[in-house]
Amino acid sequence: MPVKLEPLSTTDGCAGSPSWLTLDWYNGVLYCTDEGLGNGQHGSLVSFATHENGTLTPLAKTSTVLGPVSAVMYGEWDYGLAVAHYGGSAFTTWDIQDPANLTLLNVQQFSLPEPGPDPSRQEASHPHAAVVDPSKRFILVPDLGADLIHIYGVVFGDLGLSKLDPLVVAPGSGPRHIAFVVKETKTFMYIVTELANTIVGYEVVYGGESIRFKEIWNSGIHGEGNDVPQGAAAAEIVVSPDREFLIVSSRNESTLQVPDFDTSNETIASDPLVSFKIDSETGHLTLQQDIPCGGRFPRHFSINKAGTLIAVALQSDSRVIIIERDAKTGILGDFIAYAELEGDVTAAIFYE
C-alpha cells in the first residue's frame, strides 16, 4: 500500500488561487503565482525563503496582471523571472535579483483581432506558459487563445527582451505547454495542445540571433493512431532527466480505475499519464505506457533529478501522488506515496 504523507508545514502566503511553483534551489527561494480568480482584478507573485526542514518564510508579495499561471527564471545568473498570464492576456518580466524586492520590468499585453476557431476558449489571448530554451537565449510563450508561440530573444547582459516572429500552430489547437530535449546532434521541442489534445514536435534550428522550427511530429496525446476521449484536456509535458522519454498528462478523461487510497475495497476514477520514447535522430515518439496517474485532473507533475520518482498534482481530487519510475527503462511503476490536501492542487515539485 502507498504510504500516506503528512504535512511538515503549510502556508497561505500564496492565497487565494495558487497556480505555479518555480524553485530557485541555488538561492533557496521558492516563487509562487496566484491567479487571482477570487477578485478577478489582479494576481500576485510571491517569494519564500526555503529551509531544510520544509518550512517557508515569506519574503515578498506583489500584485500582478490578472491570471499568472507559469513562471521561469531567465537571464544571466537567473536574475529575471518571466511570467505568463492566462486570464490577463499578458506576459510580464520581473527583476528578482533581490527576492525580497520583486521589481516589475515589462508588461506585454496581447489582443486578438477576432476570436479563434474555439470561441468558448479562444475569445482572447491566453498565454499559458513561459519556457526558456536550452541555449537560454530565447523565451517561448505558448498562447492557447491565439494558436501561436510568442518568442523573445534574451538580451545579453541585462534582463531586456527582443520580440521575434511567433511560431504559428494549427488553428483551434490551443497550445498549452512546451518541453525541449537536447539529443546528441539535434535539439527538439514538443508542444502539448489543450484543445486539440495533440503533441507537436519540431527540430530546433539556431542561427545567430534567430531560432527556427521544422515540424517533425504530430500525433494525439495517446500516441500515433490512438483515439483521444471526448472532453479530454491535455495538461503537462515533461522530458525525463536522461532526455530519453517524454511524458504528458491528460485531464477530464476518467477512463481508468485505481484502488481508493483511503479504503481497501473501493476504486476511484483516474486520468492518465502517457509516456513515450524519443528517437534521438528523428525526434519521433514511440508510445511506451498509458497508465493511471492516481486520480482526476493531473494539472501538473514533475520528475525528480534521479528520474526515479514522479509527483503528480491532482487538481480535482486535492491529492498529490508519488509514482516510482525506473530511471533506466523509463517504466512507471507503483504508487508509493500520497498526500490528501485541501482545495485545488495545481503544482507539485521536488526540493532538490
Side-chain angles (χ1 to χ4, degrees):
M1 285 287 291
V3 175
K4 184 172 185 178
L5 303 176
E6 298 298 335
L8 284 173
S9 168
T10 61
T11 176
D12 62 359
C14 194
S17 317
S19 56
W20 187 264
L21 296 171
T22 300
L23 178 66
D24 178 357
W25 185 87
Y26 184 80
N27 291 303
V29 179
L30 180 70
Y31 296 93
C32 179
T33 58
D34 156 34
E35 279 193 80
L37 299 179
N39 64 56
Q41 302 297 313
H42 60 81
S44 55
L45 174 63
V46 188
S47 57
F48 299 94
T50 63
H51 305 287
E52 290 291 324
N53 64 2
T55 60
L56 299 172
T57 303
L59 295 173
K61 183 171 187 175
T62 187
S63 182
T64 72
V65 174
L66 180 67
V69 290
S70 171
V72 66
M73 296 183 296
Y74 76 95
E76 202 170 10
W77 309 108
D78 281 341
Y79 283 158
L81 191 74
V83 182
H85 299 259
Y86 181 94
S89 303
F91 170 66
T92 62
T93 53
W94 300 77
D95 184 330
I96 57 169
Q97 183 168 354
D98 176 1
N101 181 26
L102 306 172
T103 306
L104 179 64
L105 295 173
N106 191 52
V107 178
Q108 171 88 54
Q109 291 281 170
F110 303 114
S111 59
L112 298 183
E114 59 187 11
D118 185 342
S120 68
R121 295 293 308 279
Q122 297 184 308
E123 82 296 346
S125 162
H126 289 306
H128 217 310
V131 180
V132 173
D133 83 302
S135 77
K136 297 189 179 300
R137 294 190 295 128
F138 302 94
I139 297 175
L140 294 91
V141 181
D143 190 327
L144 184 147
D147 288 324
L148 52 78
I149 315 298
H150 304 284
I151 303 174
Y152 296 87
V154 178
V155 178
F156 185 77
D158 66 18
L159 298 175
L161 300 177
S162 59
K163 193 161 179 25
L164 305 175
D165 290 340
L167 170 64
V168 177
V169 299
S173 61
R176 179 181 171 95
H177 284 180
I178 290 173
F180 283 92
V181 60
V182 179
K183 297 300 244 177
E184 287 76 10
T185 59
K186 295 177 180 177
T187 297
F188 300 110
M189 179 182 80
Y190 299 92
I191 299 170
V192 64
T193 69
E194 179 175 339
L195 303 183
N197 290 292
T198 56
I199 302 169
V200 187
Y202 301 84
E203 183 178 343
V204 181
V205 182
Y206 293 103
E209 300 302 306
S210 72
I211 181 171
R212 292 183 295 113
F213 304 92
K214 175 182 155 195
E215 185 174 324
I216 49 91
W217 182 259
N218 195 319
S219 75
I221 54 173
H222 286 278
E224 211 167 18
N226 294 328
D227 292 338
V228 175
Q230 189 72 29
E236 189 57 280
I237 183 167
V238 174
V239 168
S240 61
D242 65 1
R243 303 179 296 191
E244 294 292 328
F245 300 92
L246 182 81
I247 306 174
V248 298
S249 66
S250 180
R251 301 162 296 169
N252 204 41
E253 295 194 13
S254 293
T255 52
L256 304 169
Q257 297 285 318
V258 295
D260 191 325
F261 291 92
D262 292 324
T263 65
S264 57
N265 55 358
E266 301 287 329
T267 60
I268 57 174
S270 175
D271 286 324
L273 288 182
V274 189
S275 69
F276 300 86
K277 184 84 167 69
I278 304 169
D279 185 283
S280 295
E281 197 52 44
T282 64
H284 291 183
L285 303 176
T286 301
L287 178 65
Q288 185 184 43
Q289 276 180 297
D290 193 328
I291 65 160
C293 68
R296 297 173 303 143
F297 264 65
R299 173 167 169 155
H300 179 266
F301 67 91
S302 59
I303 308 176
N304 69 337
K305 286 182 178 174
T308 56
L309 299 171
I310 295 183
V312 186
L314 295 166
Q315 184 171 0
S316 294
D317 283 346
S318 303
R319 184 184 305 122
V320 174
I321 292 287
I322 308 295
I323 302 173
E324 67 178 352
R325 179 179 180 274
D326 187 308
K328 281 197 170 65
T329 65
I331 294 293
L332 307 181
D334 294 334
F335 304 127
I336 59 171
Y338 70 102
E340 302 287 3
L341 304 171
E342 293 181 11
D344 290 359
V345 181
T346 55
I349 63 174
F350 291 92
Y351 177 65
E352 57 177 359

